[in-house]
Amino acid sequence: MARTRSIKPGFFDNEILGDLEPLTRLLFIGLWTIADREGRLEDRPRRIKKEILGYDDVDADEVDKMLQKLHDAGFIIRYTIEGKEYIQGINFTKHQNPHIREKASEIPPPPIN
C-alpha cells in the first residue's frame, strides 16, 4: 500500500545521493512510499520495480543493482532474517512522519552488528 511521505529540500543537496543515477534517486524516494511506518519493506526487486518504476524501461535485475547501490552508499540496509530478505531505510523515522493510524511494522528490524 502506498503511503504519503515528504521530501525535504535537503534531499537535493546530498552530494552522495547526487552521484547516483537519476532513476536510482527516484527509486529511493519511491521506497519511502511503500515502506511501513518504521521504514521497512520486503526486499523483492521485481515487486518494487512494478510498484515504483512500472513505466520505466528497467527490469528487476537492474532494480536489484540500484538497491545495492543505495545500500552501498548507506541510504538503505539490505538484510536477511530467517531466510526472508528485507530493506530498512536509514534515518527514515528522522525524516518521515507517518500517519498516527498507520499500522505498526510487522517486519523485524535489521540485526545489530
Side-chain angles (χ1 to χ4, degrees), residues 40-56:
R40 299 181 198 128
L41 64 148
E42 293 181 356
D43 190 345
R44 298 174 63 182
R46 186 170 180 228
R47 178 173 282 178
I48 291 169
K49 185 272 186 264
K50 180 200 81 66
E51 291 187 38
I52 299 172
L53 302 174
Y55 293 109
D56 292 293

Side-chain angles (χ1 to χ4, degrees), residues 67-98:
L67 290 169
Q68 191 59 44
K69 287 179 182 179
L70 288 167
H71 172 87
D72 294 344
F75 293 104
I76 63 171
I77 298 171
R78 298 179 94 181
Y79 62 103
T80 304
I81 294 182
E82 296 181 5
K84 292 188 177 183
E85 297 178 343
Y86 302 105
I87 294 170
Q88 169 73 59
I90 303 295
N91 293 324
F92 181 86
T93 56
K94 177 181 173 183
H95 297 289
Q96 298 299 320
N97 296 305

